[in-house]
Amino acid sequence: MSTHSDRTQEIAVTVEQEPDINSPLAWRSLVNDHSLLQLLKERTQQEPAFKQQLLAYIEYSKKDKKWRTAAANAITILVRAGVQFIGADLQGIRIPGADLSYGVFDSAQLQDSDLRKVSLRGVWMRQADLSRAHMTGAHFYELPFLTEESAVRSCAYSPDGKSFAAGLRNGDISVYSTSNWERVHSWNAYNDTVRRVVYSPDRGQIASASWDQKVRLWDSASGELQVTLPFCANWVTYSPQGDRIAIAVSNFTVRLWDVATQEYIQVLQGHSDLVLCVTFSPNGKQIASCGVDSSVRLWNVETGECVRILQHGDRAWEVVYSPQGNQIASASDDMTVRLWDAESGACHFILTGHTHSVNCVAYSPKGDQIVSGSSDTTVKLWDVETGQCRQTLLGHDEVVLSVVYSRNGDQVASSNDDMTVRLWDVSGAVSGVVLSGHSSALGCIKCSPVGHIVASSSRDGTTRLWDSETGSCRRTLYGHSDSVFTIAFSPQGDRIASGSGDCTVRLWDVETGTCLCTFTGHSDNVQGLAFSPQGDVIASASDDMTVRLWNVVTGEVLRTLEGHDDKVFSVAYSPDGHRIASGSVDATVRIRDAATGECCQILVGHTGWVRDAVYSPQGNQLASTGQDKTIRLWDTETGECSATLIGHSDRVIYVAYSRQGDLLASGGRDKTVRLWDVATGQCLAVTQNFRDVIFGLAWDTTSDDDYLFTDNGSGSVLKWQVIREGDLCSVRLLWCATNGTLSITGASFQDARGLTPDNKQLLKQRGAIGEPEHLLRGRSRKIGTMASVVSELKRPSVGTVPDPSPLPNTSASQS
């Protein structure tokens, strides 16, 4: 295997002679030519010399603005090809109009750069320095999110697009002006969840429905109550003419209400359970309804006759007509969106891709696109003509409850349980970009004991296997019907087990991705897994307060270990296989004899639940994490607590020993990862500016060097090199498998020019700062040149890390 210095020389960029100014790359913008970009992306991945040429264009743009078109083309191609600019010196580059969407620029130096009209959709710029950058026209494709005091259950644009209403779980209704997104009105409408808000076609009224109270009609300008309808309803909607209101009543019927006479004129009967949604066709002659009975029913408005029954595999939450009225879309707990012919009832497409219930769906005003929101926390955009997913929008942390298009279709609003409304610019989707990260937060990260594989599990219901050298996704394991909270490799590395919210444990073949066996028996979430050192037994910990031991070959339960008084979050075998440790919400760690199942010790000391408990490689120590913000180190012989590590400012989730057992890594709800000296208990380094709670970390145990894998709180997987320098310790990011979530925590935009007020507010919400922050409290190294960007990409995991030779770095004045 080549050393780091070999690869640096191999891919070094030669810029002694200027690139060819007559090349089409130098004078013709290719940023929007997606088919050509795809060809150039493939060429970049196959030809190192072409990659060097592109890097040279970027370097020369620092000195002379005549290279700015070439540099914009070059960096767009490189980002598409997967080149990551981690810590790169990009000061003063000129790349106006470039597309950096989903690119990785962690800790990059972009001071004084020309980023005018640059696309920054889903970009990773954590801790990057963009001080004094020229950013007029820079586009993040997101607006600042709206923050409410309660979960936002429903939202709607007014017909003229000038107002926006939100119905909250606490019973309030808020109205915003879309010109500046300032709240105009807010009033309490109910004592319980506002299930639905909708504007009348003339925008003069807002109709609302609540789970257990009456339908109410409000003056949209003043918020004054005008009419209370005598029905308890789940849903309400206006006819296109505004003369009728359809109501999903709690007695399984749909009622039609005459607005002028204020009397009901029709009752539609046929559903066998709660009706969750009702909507009029664009011409007002037909009504579609759906509900808990899994059916979508089509009704003739004049006769009240049910003319068609369409069937989902589980409850249907929402149904909508296309603007043309020829098609119907429905969203269901069966994790699909279905497109139906409104006349014949034929199913045109079944849109699959969400990994949990699909709760809401809406057509774009042109009818060429559909947006859906799911309990998997994602929002997806679909092409109506092909049924293909155009884009996945990430940013919500909880269940997505409502989605709606703006009047002109260039914006989507989505609301959810995290008390926010996200505003997405969907005017231009990215073509040809494949994202490898999970679509929801991680549950666990584990490294294979052999080979170069790291695995991650997620709330998106999948487990992914990554090449630990390159960061490329080797395989995705599908099969669980709920979040995958935990995973474990067999000692031989040829099998991996996964535990899920579907109460099962699955055993997979690592090479083929085949599910070999499904273990059933737990009655609640499976939160922890561990193989015995021999690999013949799997231990599983569950919210059902038990630990179960399974025969790997037969799938039979060998023993059920009871004794905890609450949920069991973790389980671990001692290195010699004689003991099993389990951590629980009951604030204890129980040590059991692996052969008999008898409890040998109960470790008491945490003042809240215990989230994780792991043995040191030598087996003489056990580390546990807790709700009390501490890590406790226990002597496995005596059961005494030998040290309490204090430093996290919130709950500590996971902990892991390094291969030698002398370092301990911990991550938690305070959005930091800490490295500890096991012998002294001293905190050696703190990695900050993660997006959210750290739910996964693991050490690479196959390398002589120290490599640590973490998540960033949003579904991405990161690889860090841990560098020991005497008594000091630092880390450096080597690669990041992103999922397209905008990540700008800790980035500096001090004195950046041309940012709009909306952009400034968005950056502030996402954790950007005025002054750049260092990656660690302590010494750290960073990649310093364009040459090192390439040499660090797919760098071998062995050998030392010398400082690369710098490229010419001539500063240039602004054009």
Side-chain angles (χ1 to χ4, degrees), residues 84-86 100-108 110 120-128 689-691 710-718 720 733 735-745 747:
Q84 299 191 349
F85 294 85
I86 297 172
L100 306 186
S101 296
Y102 309 121
V104 177
F105 296 85
D106 190 282
S107 303
L110 285 155
L120 297 168
R121 186 198 310 268
V123 72
W124 181 289
M125 283 185 167
R126 174 185 166 276
Q127 297 189 156
N689 290 323
F690 290 96
R691 183 178 176 272
T710 74
D711 79 320
N712 75 319
S714 68
S716 299
V717 178
L718 290 68
W720 308 84
L733 183 63
W735 57 251
C736 174
T738 68
N739 59 4
T741 302
L742 179 63
S743 297
I744 49 179
T745 308

Side-chain angles (χ1 to χ4, degrees), residues 79-126:
V79 167
R80 292 287 183 94
V83 175
Q84 299 191 349
F85 294 85
I86 297 172
D89 179 9
L90 302 174
Q91 296 185 59
I93 65 169
R94 293 181 171 97
I95 53 169
D99 187 355
L100 306 186
S101 296
Y102 309 121
V104 177
F105 296 85
D106 190 282
S107 303
Q109 304 304 300
L110 285 155
Q111 303 95 313
D112 301 300
S113 55
D114 184 353
L115 304 179
R116 290 174 294 173
K117 296 184 178 180
V118 168
S119 294
L120 297 168
R121 186 198 310 268
V123 72
W124 181 289
M125 283 185 167
R126 174 185 166 276

Side-chain angles (χ1 to χ4, degrees), residues 480 483-487 497-502 504-506 526-527 529:
H480 284 291
S483 302
V484 184
F485 294 117
T486 181
I487 49 179
S498 57
S500 168
D502 63 14
T504 70
V505 176
R506 287 179 175 252
V526 180
Q527 296 278 9
L529 288 173

Side-chain angles (χ1 to χ4, degrees), residues 53 56 86 165 171 188 215 231 281 290 319 330 341 352 361 402 480 490 520 536 665 809 813:
Q53 179 186 346
I86 297 172
N188 183 256
V215 172
F231 309 113
S281 63
C290 65
V319 59
S330 55
D341 186 283
T352 59
V361 64
S402 178
H480 284 291
S490 65
T520 60
D536 57 341
N809 183 15
S813 60

Side-chain angles (χ1 to χ4, degrees), residues 327 337-340 347-351 383-387:
Q327 194 178 74
V337 173
R338 299 186 185 229
L339 307 187
W340 314 85
C347 184
H348 290 163
F349 290 109
I350 299 177
L351 310 183
D383 186 283
V384 170
E385 187 68 26
T386 65

